[in-house]
Amino acid sequence: MSITYKSDILNVSNVSALFNLKVANKQLVQTRGYSTEGIGSNLYRYDASSVATIDGGFILPGLGGTLSFSGTTFNGVAGTGRFIAVDQTIADTSMFGEIADNVTDDRNAIQRALSCGAKTITMQGGKTRFIGSTLNIPTNVTLIGLGKDASLRMTAISDLLSVSSNTTIDNISLSGPGNATYQTGSVAIAIRGTLASRVTNINIKNVTIDDFAEYAIYGEFCTNTTISKNNISNIGYAGVMILSGDTCEVSDCKISDITPGTSGNAYGVAFTMNNASTDLVATPRSIHCKAIRNIITNIPVWEALDTHGGDDILFKDNEIRNCKHGIVAGKTGVNVGALLVNAINNNITVNKNGYGIVFTNDLSGSTFITGSITGNIIKEAGIDGFSPDLGAIQLEKTIGVRVSENTILDAAGHGIVIFQKNVGALISKNSIVDPQTPDSVLWDVACVAVRSTDNSAIIDGNAFIRSGNISGKKVAVCGFLMDTTSGCEITMGQNFNSCTLPLAGTLASVVRHGRFFGQAGKFVGTGAPAFAASVGSEYTDVSGSTGTVFYINEDGTSGGWVAK
């Protein structure tokens, strides 16, 4: 018997049952599932005159039709008319035929859902979908998981999700083929713009990503990208890599176990540019980017936070543990180094494996890094006995950098290294406690050290602290150590010192002395002393000239030196 009424809603077990009905135009039919009852139900209206493109979810074949696809292309029988979903504002992937058994390849079903025209695509929690090849998220689409563990799994070496502008990915889990070895092209989420066509307005949040052999999140030529509250682990090369990004933020993420890396490199978060290019037009710097409030752990190969060639980069309030280097602002080539970088209020524990914070630029080019390193806590940075050039903080080729209010504890080497070609650095209000090296090394460890040529700096208001002996270690031998005078001009303000020697090295006339307080000092230089120092301080003239070579300060003023 034909069903001719229109007002009542028919009810069928699955979508295939629709095609055998005998219904009038405009009839409503409720399916109890897509292929299995309880999974992918939807309400359809029969449109007898429609010839709309069949997408396998919102638009189905009509009476007498059959449903089959080759990839995402319909190749069944269209039938007469179409069954069209009544509500097309939100599409669940189950409405497009996913199996979600972690075995069957659900890529094409989910791609049909993503491409159906709905602005919100949902995935049910508690299920894992095997994906054989890249899913492309169109512009203006939000992909969101409902409940816990709405998961996609990929074993191919490929992008899992490729995103377009104005997209959001929220509350899903992505797993890859593993990170036992580094493999190019294994990426969880790829944002691939071009110089001529940037990808803009991306929001990736509450996503769990693990076991990809290259990147968790890769962005190139992307603008206004927010990556927040994600949990990223077991990635081959980088947790978040942004190339030529503009206004990108990585915040409140947990990033861990980035290994094995490649060519000795691996990164938690990096804002950079294409290292193979020095063309700042074709591959511009990453600009206006920030990494804030992230927890980054276990990157034994290389760096937690990095910018090579970035400008206006902020690293703030991050916690870094067990990474070879904490924060590095560096260069990609001549005149394509980082420009403005600020590292503020980060908590870094390096476990005597590498640098805490480094600002460096290409020595042969004309560009300098500027910015600040302020309010950071850096523990156990450096490498025991490795090099006197390695410190908790190192400056090289900087201009006007402010290093202030940092706390440096138990550095395996110098606390702060002013290496070479630094102009107008301000080293102020830092507390540097117990820098140390093994007794076997030949160089003495200092809280602040000038290690090479062409440096100008003010060193004022710092606390250089030796708290006690450590067996087998040289501890806080020098408050300030200067290894060369060539091209240098250092102004010493009032600094507290409890190290063995307040000042040491080849000081000469390039050091303009302020006053250390807390301990009488032992100073060396050329010519008679003319600076203020604590009562009882000693000075030796090493110029080799005839006459008095030893002085003691008797009243704490610059004129209080008395020849002995």
Side-chain angles (χ1 to χ4, degrees):
M1 181 178 65
S2 297
I3 301 175
T4 58
Y5 49 83
K6 303 176 184 178
S7 58
D8 294 339
I9 300 176
L10 297 183
N11 192 287
V12 296
S13 60
N14 55 50
V15 296
S16 294
L18 294 171
F19 315 136
N20 297 319
L21 294 174
K22 295 181 180 180
V23 294
N25 190 33
K26 307 300 183 183
Q27 178 65 52
L28 293 174
V29 184
Q30 175 73 55
T31 61
R32 298 194 294 274
Y34 192 87
S35 56
T36 302
E37 288 196 39
I39 302 175
S41 61
N42 208 347
L43 178 64
Y44 295 91
R45 185 186 301 276
Y46 176 61
D47 186 333
S49 62
S50 176
V51 292
T53 301
I54 295 168
D55 62 18
F58 280 170
I59 303 173
L60 299 176
L63 300 179
T66 62
L67 185 62
S68 65
F69 283 84
S70 174
T72 57
T73 302
F74 175 70
N75 65 355
V77 176
T80 302
R82 299 288 187 268
F83 285 95
I84 299 175
V86 173
D87 184 354
Q88 299 189 18
T89 57
I90 298 176
D92 193 86
T93 53
S94 64
M95 297 174 180
F96 285 75
E98 69 170 21
I99 305 301
D101 61 1
N102 199 19
V103 176
T104 306
D105 187 352
D106 279 325
R107 186 270 172 188
N108 292 328
I110 295 174
Q111 186 62 62
R112 292 197 299 272
L114 291 168
S115 303
C116 73
K119 301 305 181 185
T120 301
I121 311 299
T122 59
M123 290 198 311
Q124 298 298 313
K127 297 180 180 181
T128 299
R129 299 131 178 101
F130 174 69
I131 305 299
S133 57
T134 301
L135 288 167
N136 299 296
I137 303 179
T139 189
N140 299 315
V141 166
T142 292
L143 174 62
I144 185 169
L146 302 181
K148 185 179 180 181
D149 296 329
S151 301
L152 301 174
R153 181 179 69 90
M154 169 176 271
T155 57
I157 304 301
S158 178
D159 298 342
L160 174 47
L161 298 178
S162 177
V163 303
S164 304
S165 292
N166 305 312
T167 60
T168 295
I169 303 171
D170 186 8
N171 194 41
I172 65 174
S173 296
L174 308 174
S175 61
N179 68 320
T181 60
Y182 166 79
Q183 297 187 74
T184 301
S186 175
V187 182
I189 301 175
I191 311 165
R192 299 184 186 275
T194 65
L195 180 63
S197 180
R198 284 182 167 268
V199 178
T200 63
N201 302 322
I202 303 299
N203 190 359
I204 301 168
K205 58 183 179 178
N206 305 310
V207 177
T208 297
I209 303 173
D210 65 2
D211 289 329
F212 285 83
E214 188 173 24
Y215 301 111
I217 300 173
Y218 175 88
E220 186 170 13
F221 295 108
C222 52
T223 300
N224 296 330
T225 297
T226 302
I227 299 168
S228 64
K229 299 181 180 179
N230 302 293
N231 196 333
I232 295 169
S233 62
N234 300 309
I235 305 299
Y237 184 60
V240 179
M241 177 66 70
I242 302 295
L243 276 64
S244 298
D246 183 347
T247 316
C248 300
E249 177 179 310
V250 181
S251 60
D252 301 296
C253 294
K254 294 181 179 179
I255 301 172
S256 66
D257 299 289
I258 310 300
T259 183
T262 181
S263 302
N265 295 322
Y267 304 92
V269 178
F271 302 119
T272 184
M273 54 182 288
N274 190 328
N275 283 346
S277 173
T278 58
D279 185 345
L280 290 172
V281 175
T283 56
R285 305 173 186 278
S286 284
I287 58 174
H288 314 313
C289 296
K290 62 181 71 174
I292 56 176
R293 300 185 304 275
N294 301 288
I295 299 174
I296 304 175
T297 60
N298 300 328
I299 308 179
V301 176
W302 206 232
E303 299 164 6
L305 296 171
D306 172 272
T307 180
H308 277 61
D311 189 14
D312 190 16
I313 306 298
L314 173 64
F315 299 122
K316 184 178 181 183
D317 296 324
N318 300 285
E319 182 175 344
I320 297 169
R321 301 190 304 270
N322 195 32
C323 300
K324 185 174 180 65
H325 304 303
I327 298 173
V328 176
K331 58 186 180 294
T332 60
V334 177
N335 292 327
V336 289
L339 295 180
L340 172 61
V341 182
N342 292 290
I344 302 173
N345 296 343
N346 301 284
N347 193 330
I348 303 170
T349 301
V350 182
N351 298 330
K352 299 183 179 179
N353 190 41
Y355 295 106
I357 300 176
V358 178
F359 281 16
T360 181
N361 213 320
D362 183 74
L363 293 173
S364 62
S366 60
T367 58
F368 290 73
I369 296 181
T370 191
S372 64
I373 301 172
T374 61
N376 302 282
I377 299 173
I378 305 173
K379 304 173 187 175
E380 298 184 346
I383 300 176
D384 264 348
F386 178 72
S387 168
D389 298 332
L390 194 71
I393 295 174
Q394 187 190 83
L395 304 181
E396 181 178 50
K397 194 72 180 301
T398 69
I399 186 166
V401 167
R402 176 188 174 195
V403 181
S404 65
E405 301 180 53
N406 301 288
T407 299
I408 299 172
L409 305 173
D410 299 322
H414 301 311
I416 298 173
V417 174
I418 303 170
F419 193 51
Q420 56 184 325
K421 292 191 176 181
N422 298 285
V423 179
L426 174 62
I427 314 298
S428 68
K429 300 181 181 179
N430 302 286
S431 295
I432 306 168
V433 182
D434 290 342
Q436 56 200 254
T437 60
D439 280 337
S440 58
V441 303
L442 299 178
W443 44 275
D444 288 330
V445 68
C447 292
V448 176
V450 175
R451 287 285 302 136
S452 191
T453 61
D454 302 311
N455 295 294
S456 62
I458 297 172
I459 301 171
D460 182 50
N462 303 283
F464 303 152
I465 299 171
R466 183 180 189 272
S467 67
N469 295 320
I470 300 176
S471 178
K473 298 282 189 179
K474 295 180 179 179
V475 180
V477 177
C478 310
F480 172 76
L481 173 65
M482 190 158 186
D483 283 335
T484 182
T485 62
S486 177
C488 293
E489 184 175 299
I490 308 298
T491 299
M492 296 296 297
Q494 296 192 30
N495 300 277
F496 174 85
N497 178 78
S498 63
C499 298
T500 305
L501 296 174
L503 301 178
T506 310
L507 303 178
S509 59
V510 301
V511 177
R512 299 173 180 174
H513 296 279
R515 181 196 301 267
F516 279 87
F517 52 91
Q519 180 183 322
K522 296 182 179 181
F523 304 95
V524 295
T526 58
F531 56 90
S534 299
V535 173
S537 294
E538 300 175 0
Y539 176 88
T540 301
D541 178 8
V542 295
S543 64
S545 61
T546 59
T548 302
V549 297
F550 183 69
Y551 299 80
I552 293 180
N553 194 297
E554 296 185 350
D555 66 5
T557 69
S558 60
W561 294 101
V562 177
K564 300 295 181 179

mmCIF file of all heavy atoms in Angstrom, residues 417-455:
data_model
loop_
_atom_site.group_PDB
_atom_site.id
_atom_site.type_symbol
_atom_site.label_atom_id
_atom_site.label_comp_id
_atom_site.label_asym_id
_atom_site.label_seq_id
_atom_site.Cartn_x
_atom_site.Cartn_y
_atom_site.Cartn_z
ATOM 1 N N VAL A 417 76.898 35.361 30.440
ATOM 2 C CA VAL A 417 78.045 35.527 29.551
ATOM 3 C C VAL A 417 77.745 36.637 28.553
ATOM 4 O O VAL A 417 76.786 36.541 27.777
ATOM 5 C CB VAL A 417 78.368 34.220 28.800
ATOM 6 C CG1 VAL A 417 79.476 34.467 27.773
ATOM 7 C CG2 VAL A 417 78.801 33.133 29.774
ATOM 8 N N ILE A 418 78.543 37.698 28.619
ATOM 9 C CA ILE A 418 78.508 38.745 27.592
ATOM 10 C C ILE A 418 79.587 38.344 26.593
ATOM 11 O O ILE A 418 80.773 38.529 26.840
ATOM 12 C CB ILE A 418 78.784 40.121 28.209
ATOM 13 C CG1 ILE A 418 77.776 40.409 29.328
ATOM 14 C CG2 ILE A 418 78.733 41.209 27.149
ATOM 15 C CD1 ILE A 418 78.106 41.631 30.150
ATOM 16 N N PHE A 419 79.172 37.750 25.478
ATOM 17 C CA PHE A 419 80.151 37.087 24.622
ATOM 18 C C PHE A 419 80.850 38.066 23.697
ATOM 19 O O PHE A 419 81.958 38.480 23.940
ATOM 20 C CB PHE A 419 79.506 35.934 23.871
ATOM 21 C CG PHE A 419 80.493 35.025 23.208
ATOM 22 C CD1 PHE A 419 81.559 34.486 23.911
ATOM 23 C CD2 PHE A 419 80.385 34.708 21.861
ATOM 24 C CE1 PHE A 419 82.490 33.657 23.303
ATOM 25 C CE2 PHE A 419 81.297 33.877 21.247
ATOM 26 C CZ PHE A 419 82.355 33.359 21.962
ATOM 27 N N GLN A 420 80.207 38.483 22.633
ATOM 28 C CA GLN A 420 80.880 39.437 21.755
ATOM 29 C C GLN A 420 79.877 40.281 20.980
ATOM 30 O O GLN A 420 78.756 39.871 20.730
ATOM 31 C CB GLN A 420 81.837 38.742 20.792
ATOM 32 C CG GLN A 420 81.218 37.665 19.918
ATOM 33 C CD GLN A 420 82.264 36.965 19.079
ATOM 34 O OE1 GLN A 420 83.234 37.580 18.633
ATOM 35 N NE2 GLN A 420 82.091 35.673 18.869
ATOM 36 N N LYS A 421 80.338 41.501 20.659
ATOM 37 C CA LYS A 421 79.575 42.464 19.868
ATOM 38 C C LYS A 421 78.215 42.760 20.484
ATOM 39 O O LYS A 421 77.180 42.735 19.814
ATOM 40 C CB LYS A 421 79.438 41.992 18.421
ATOM 41 C CG LYS A 421 80.746 42.003 17.663
ATOM 42 C CD LYS A 421 80.546 41.797 16.171
ATOM 43 C CE LYS A 421 81.888 41.904 15.425
ATOM 44 N NZ LYS A 421 81.730 41.728 13.975
ATOM 45 N N ASN A 422 78.222 43.060 21.785
ATOM 46 C CA ASN A 422 77.010 43.508 22.463
ATOM 47 C C ASN A 422 77.131 45.001 22.758
ATOM 48 O O ASN A 422 78.134 45.447 23.319
ATOM 49 C CB ASN A 422 76.819 42.730 23.761
ATOM 50 C CG ASN A 422 76.634 41.248 23.499
ATOM 51 O OD1 ASN A 422 75.577 40.826 23.050
ATOM 52 N ND2 ASN A 422 77.669 40.456 23.778
ATOM 53 N N VAL A 423 76.112 45.751 22.384
ATOM 54 C CA VAL A 423 76.145 47.211 22.520
ATOM 55 C C VAL A 423 75.098 47.637 23.547
ATOM 56 O O VAL A 423 73.909 47.342 23.410
ATOM 57 C CB VAL A 423 75.853 47.893 21.170
ATOM 58 C CG1 VAL A 423 75.858 49.404 21.333
ATOM 59 C CG2 VAL A 423 76.861 47.447 20.113
ATOM 60 N N GLY A 424 75.553 48.329 24.588
ATOM 61 C CA GLY A 424 74.639 48.953 25.532
ATOM 62 C C GLY A 424 73.783 47.987 26.326
ATOM 63 O O GLY A 424 72.628 48.295 26.642
ATOM 64 N N ALA A 425 74.342 46.827 26.686
ATOM 65 C CA ALA A 425 73.579 45.884 27.506
ATOM 66 C C ALA A 425 73.453 46.406 28.931
ATOM 67 O O ALA A 425 74.384 47.000 29.476
ATOM 68 C CB ALA A 425 74.262 44.521 27.505
ATOM 69 N N LEU A 426 72.302 46.187 29.543
ATOM 70 C CA LEU A 426 72.088 46.527 30.946
ATOM 71 C C LEU A 426 71.903 45.235 31.728
ATOM 72 O O LEU A 426 70.925 44.501 31.502
ATOM 73 C CB LEU A 426 70.861 47.421 31.107
ATOM 74 C CG LEU A 426 70.450 47.720 32.557
ATOM 75 C CD1 LEU A 426 71.558 48.480 33.292
ATOM 76 C CD2 LEU A 426 69.141 48.499 32.595
ATOM 77 N N ILE A 427 72.832 44.963 32.636
ATOM 78 C CA ILE A 427 72.774 43.766 33.481
ATOM 79 C C ILE A 427 72.463 44.264 34.891
ATOM 80 O O ILE A 427 73.342 44.794 35.582
ATOM 81 C CB ILE A 427 74.105 42.996 33.459
ATOM 82 C CG1 ILE A 427 74.644 42.839 32.020
ATOM 83 C CG2 ILE A 427 73.965 41.665 34.163
ATOM 84 C CD1 ILE A 427 73.751 42.056 31.096
ATOM 85 N N SER A 428 71.212 44.135 35.336
ATOM 86 C CA SER A 428 70.827 44.795 36.589
ATOM 87 C C SER A 428 69.861 43.952 37.408
ATOM 88 O O SER A 428 69.026 43.221 36.862
ATOM 89 C CB SER A 428 70.183 46.155 36.304
ATOM 90 O OG SER A 428 68.927 45.995 35.676
ATOM 91 N N LYS A 429 70.021 44.037 38.714
ATOM 92 C CA LYS A 429 69.097 43.468 39.693
ATOM 93 C C LYS A 429 68.924 41.959 39.540
ATOM 94 O O LYS A 429 67.855 41.408 39.858
ATOM 95 C CB LYS A 429 67.737 44.171 39.621
ATOM 96 C CG LYS A 429 67.815 45.666 39.908
ATOM 97 C CD LYS A 429 66.451 46.325 39.849
ATOM 98 C CE LYS A 429 66.556 47.825 40.104
ATOM 99 N NZ LYS A 429 65.246 48.512 40.036
ATOM 100 N N ASN A 430 69.954 41.289 39.049
ATOM 101 C CA ASN A 430 69.926 39.834 38.971
ATOM 102 C C ASN A 430 70.525 39.225 40.235
ATOM 103 O O ASN A 430 71.450 39.795 40.827
ATOM 104 C CB ASN A 430 70.725 39.355 37.751
ATOM 105 C CG ASN A 430 70.189 39.929 36.457
ATOM 106 O OD1 ASN A 430 69.151 39.516 35.971
ATOM 107 N ND2 ASN A 430 70.891 40.919 35.901
ATOM 108 N N SER A 431 70.023 38.077 40.633
ATOM 109 C CA SER A 431 70.611 37.304 41.723
ATOM 110 C C SER A 431 71.224 36.043 41.131
ATOM 111 O O SER A 431 70.509 35.225 40.538
ATOM 112 C CB SER A 431 69.546 36.928 42.756
ATOM 113 O OG SER A 431 69.038 38.078 43.397
ATOM 114 N N ILE A 432 72.538 35.934 41.268
ATOM 115 C CA ILE A 432 73.258 34.817 40.672
ATOM 116 C C ILE A 432 73.942 34.053 41.798
ATOM 117 O O ILE A 432 74.828 34.586 42.470
ATOM 118 C CB ILE A 432 74.267 35.297 39.622
ATOM 119 C CG1 ILE A 432 73.550 36.169 38.581
ATOM 120 C CG2 ILE A 432 74.966 34.123 38.956
ATOM 121 C CD1 ILE A 432 74.474 36.922 37.666
ATOM 122 N N VAL A 433 73.513 32.822 42.011
ATOM 123 C CA VAL A 433 73.931 32.059 43.180
ATOM 124 C C VAL A 433 74.685 30.805 42.752
ATOM 125 O O VAL A 433 74.180 29.989 41.968
ATOM 126 C CB VAL A 433 72.705 31.658 44.033
ATOM 127 C CG1 VAL A 433 73.146 30.892 45.282
ATOM 128 C CG2 VAL A 433 71.884 32.882 44.415
ATOM 129 N N ASP A 434 75.909 30.686 43.252
ATOM 130 C CA ASP A 434 76.711 29.463 43.132
ATOM 131 C C ASP A 434 76.910 28.949 41.701
ATOM 132 O O ASP A 434 76.687 27.764 41.414
ATOM 133 C CB ASP A 434 76.090 28.341 43.973
ATOM 134 C CG ASP A 434 76.232 28.585 45.462
ATOM 135 O OD1 ASP A 434 77.080 29.416 45.845
ATOM 136 O OD2 ASP A 434 75.501 27.950 46.239
ATOM 137 N N PRO A 435 77.347 29.801 40.754
ATOM 138 C CA PRO A 435 77.813 29.214 39.490
ATOM 139 C C PRO A 435 79.003 28.320 39.796
ATOM 140 O O PRO A 435 79.792 28.607 40.690
ATOM 141 C CB PRO A 435 78.202 30.435 38.659
ATOM 142 C CG PRO A 435 78.516 31.497 39.670
ATOM 143 C CD PRO A 435 77.585 31.253 40.821
ATOM 144 N N GLN A 436 79.163 27.228 39.044
ATOM 145 C CA GLN A 436 80.140 26.224 39.459
ATOM 146 C C GLN A 436 80.685 25.439 38.273
ATOM 147 O O GLN A 436 80.021 25.293 37.245
ATOM 148 C CB GLN A 436 79.503 25.257 40.452
ATOM 149 C CG GLN A 436 78.253 24.594 39.913
ATOM 150 C CD GLN A 436 77.354 24.040 40.995
ATOM 151 O OE1 GLN A 436 77.311 22.826 41.173
ATOM 152 N NE2 GLN A 436 76.633 24.912 41.708
ATOM 153 N N THR A 437 81.911 24.964 38.444
ATOM 154 C CA THR A 437 82.536 24.074 37.469
ATOM 155 C C THR A 437 83.304 23.011 38.236
ATOM 156 O O THR A 437 83.644 23.193 39.413
ATOM 157 C CB THR A 437 83.513 24.821 36.552
ATOM 158 O OG1 THR A 437 84.544 25.408 37.360
ATOM 159 C CG2 THR A 437 82.823 25.901 35.755
ATOM 160 N N PRO A 438 83.626 21.887 37.596
ATOM 161 C CA PRO A 438 84.452 20.894 38.261
ATOM 162 C C PRO A 438 85.829 21.460 38.596
ATOM 163 O O PRO A 438 86.355 22.327 37.883
ATOM 164 C CB PRO A 438 84.556 19.766 37.222
ATOM 165 C CG PRO A 438 83.371 19.943 36.344
ATOM 166 C CD PRO A 438 83.134 21.423 36.283
ATOM 167 N N ASP A 439 86.429 20.989 39.680
ATOM 168 C CA ASP A 439 87.777 21.422 40.052
ATOM 169 C C ASP A 439 88.780 21.200 38.932
ATOM 170 O O ASP A 439 89.789 21.901 38.839
ATOM 171 C CB ASP A 439 88.252 20.648 41.302
ATOM 172 C CG ASP A 439 87.667 21.233 42.577
ATOM 173 O OD1 ASP A 439 87.287 22.407 42.571
ATOM 174 O OD2 ASP A 439 87.590 20.491 43.576
ATOM 175 N N SER A 440 88.506 20.246 38.052
ATOM 176 C CA SER A 440 89.486 19.866 37.029
ATOM 177 C C SER A 440 89.629 20.893 35.919
ATOM 178 O O SER A 440 90.621 20.892 35.192
ATOM 179 C CB SER A 440 89.097 18.516 36.418
ATOM 180 O OG SER A 440 87.784 18.588 35.862
ATOM 181 N N VAL A 441 88.631 21.785 35.727
ATOM 182 C CA VAL A 441 88.745 22.752 34.636
ATOM 183 C C VAL A 441 89.720 23.853 35.025
ATOM 184 O O VAL A 441 89.925 24.148 36.206
ATOM 185 C CB VAL A 441 87.372 23.356 34.276
ATOM 186 C CG1 VAL A 441 86.382 22.278 33.908
ATOM 187 C CG2 VAL A 441 86.835 24.224 35.397
ATOM 188 N N LEU A 442 90.327 24.473 34.010
ATOM 189 C CA LEU A 442 91.373 25.457 34.256
ATOM 190 C C LEU A 442 90.843 26.869 34.432
ATOM 191 O O LEU A 442 91.565 27.732 34.914
ATOM 192 C CB LEU A 442 92.390 25.422 33.102
ATOM 193 C CG LEU A 442 93.110 24.079 32.903
ATOM 194 C CD1 LEU A 442 94.048 24.156 31.708
ATOM 195 C CD2 LEU A 442 93.868 23.686 34.157
ATOM 196 N N TRP A 443 89.596 27.125 34.039
ATOM 197 C CA TRP A 443 89.079 28.482 34.116
ATOM 198 C C TRP A 443 88.217 28.658 35.364
ATOM 199 O O TRP A 443 87.582 27.728 35.853
ATOM 200 C CB TRP A 443 88.293 28.850 32.857
ATOM 201 C CG TRP A 443 87.348 27.795 32.359
ATOM 202 C CD1 TRP A 443 87.636 26.742 31.549
ATOM 203 C CD2 TRP A 443 85.946 27.702 32.627
ATOM 204 N NE1 TRP A 443 86.528 25.995 31.294
ATOM 205 C CE2 TRP A 443 85.462 26.552 31.939
ATOM 206 C CE3 TRP A 443 85.045 28.461 33.373
ATOM 207 C CZ2 TRP A 443 84.132 26.160 31.973
ATOM 208 C CZ3 TRP A 443 83.717 28.069 33.413
ATOM 209 C CH2 TRP A 443 83.275 26.927 32.723
ATOM 210 N N ASP A 444 88.224 29.891 35.873
ATOM 211 C CA ASP A 444 87.450 30.204 37.068
ATOM 212 C C ASP A 444 86.044 30.652 36.686
ATOM 213 O O ASP A 444 85.844 31.393 35.724
ATOM 214 C CB ASP A 444 88.137 31.310 37.873
ATOM 215 C CG ASP A 444 89.399 30.817 38.560
ATOM 216 O OD1 ASP A 444 89.459 29.618 38.899
ATOM 217 O OD2 ASP A 444 90.326 31.631 38.752
ATOM 218 N N VAL A 445 85.081 30.215 37.455
ATOM 219 C CA VAL A 445 83.691 30.479 37.145
ATOM 220 C C VAL A 445 83.261 31.805 37.773
ATOM 221 O O VAL A 445 83.695 32.176 38.870
ATOM 222 C CB VAL A 445 82.804 29.323 37.632
ATOM 223 C CG1 VAL A 445 82.765 29.254 39.155
ATOM 224 C CG2 VAL A 445 81.401 29.439 37.077
ATOM 225 N N ALA A 446 82.393 32.545 37.036
ATOM 226 C CA ALA A 446 81.971 33.872 37.479
ATOM 227 C C ALA A 446 80.457 34.009 37.404
ATOM 228 O O ALA A 446 79.779 33.318 36.633
ATOM 229 C CB ALA A 446 82.625 34.943 36.614
ATOM 230 N N CYS A 447 79.935 34.934 38.179
ATOM 231 C CA CYS A 447 78.514 35.262 38.069
ATOM 232 C C CYS A 447 78.221 35.984 36.758
ATOM 233 O O CYS A 447 77.237 35.690 36.077
ATOM 234 C CB CYS A 447 78.091 36.102 39.265
ATOM 235 S SG CYS A 447 78.107 35.192 40.827
ATOM 236 N N VAL A 448 79.074 36.955 36.397
ATOM 237 C CA VAL A 448 78.978 37.639 35.103
ATOM 238 C C VAL A 448 80.361 37.633 34.475
ATOM 239 O O VAL A 448 81.349 37.963 35.139
ATOM 240 C CB VAL A 448 78.474 39.085 35.245
ATOM 241 C CG1 VAL A 448 78.491 39.794 33.892
ATOM 242 C CG2 VAL A 448 77.067 39.112 35.836
ATOM 243 N N ALA A 449 80.450 37.248 33.203
ATOM 244 C CA ALA A 449 81.741 37.185 32.520
ATOM 245 C C ALA A 449 81.660 37.856 31.161
ATOM 246 O O ALA A 449 80.713 37.627 30.400
ATOM 247 C CB ALA A 449 82.191 35.738 32.359
ATOM 248 N N VAL A 450 82.650 38.709 30.866
ATOM 249 C CA VAL A 450 82.838 39.229 29.511
ATOM 250 C C VAL A 450 83.871 38.336 28.852
ATOM 251 O O VAL A 450 85.021 38.283 29.268
ATOM 252 C CB VAL A 450 83.315 40.692 29.533
ATOM 253 C CG1 VAL A 450 83.634 41.175 28.123
ATOM 254 C CG2 VAL A 450 82.256 41.578 30.165
ATOM 255 N N ARG A 451 83.451 37.629 27.800
ATOM 256 C CA ARG A 451 84.286 36.562 27.275
ATOM 257 C C ARG A 451 84.997 36.915 25.980
ATOM 258 O O ARG A 451 85.935 36.227 25.578
ATOM 259 C CB ARG A 451 83.432 35.306 27.037
ATOM 260 C CG ARG A 451 83.028 34.591 28.302
ATOM 261 C CD ARG A 451 84.198 33.815 28.885
ATOM 262 N NE ARG A 451 84.702 32.866 27.903
ATOM 263 C CZ ARG A 451 85.979 32.657 27.636
ATOM 264 N NH1 ARG A 451 86.903 33.355 28.262
ATOM 265 N NH2 ARG A 451 86.344 31.770 26.731
ATOM 266 N N SER A 452 84.561 37.974 25.285
ATOM 267 C CA SER A 452 85.183 38.259 24.001
ATOM 268 C C SER A 452 85.154 39.755 23.745
ATOM 269 O O SER A 452 84.943 40.555 24.653
ATOM 270 C CB SER A 452 84.482 37.470 22.887
ATOM 271 O OG SER A 452 85.219 37.534 21.685
ATOM 272 N N THR A 453 85.326 40.150 22.509
ATOM 273 C CA THR A 453 85.614 41.539 22.158
ATOM 274 C C THR A 453 84.355 42.349 21.854
ATOM 275 O O THR A 453 83.277 41.812 21.618
ATOM 276 C CB THR A 453 86.528 41.569 20.925
ATOM 277 O OG1 THR A 453 85.840 40.941 19.838
ATOM 278 C CG2 THR A 453 87.818 40.826 21.198
ATOM 279 N N ASP A 454 84.544 43.674 21.850
ATOM 280 C CA ASP A 454 83.555 44.630 21.348
ATOM 281 C C ASP A 454 82.244 44.575 22.133
ATOM 282 O O ASP A 454 81.166 44.368 21.573
ATOM 283 C CB ASP A 454 83.296 44.388 19.851
ATOM 284 C CG ASP A 454 84.560 44.485 19.022
ATOM 285 O OD1 ASP A 454 85.288 45.476 19.190
ATOM 286 O OD2 ASP A 454 84.825 43.568 18.233
ATOM 287 N N ASN A 455 82.341 44.806 23.423
ATOM 288 C CA ASN A 455 81.162 44.805 24.278
ATOM 289 C C ASN A 455 81.090 46.095 25.083
ATOM 290 O O ASN A 455 82.105 46.574 25.592
ATOM 291 C CB ASN A 455 81.212 43.629 25.262
ATOM 292 C CG ASN A 455 81.145 42.289 24.562
ATOM 293 O OD1 ASN A 455 80.133 41.947 23.956
ATOM 294 N ND2 ASN A 455 82.228 41.519 24.646
#
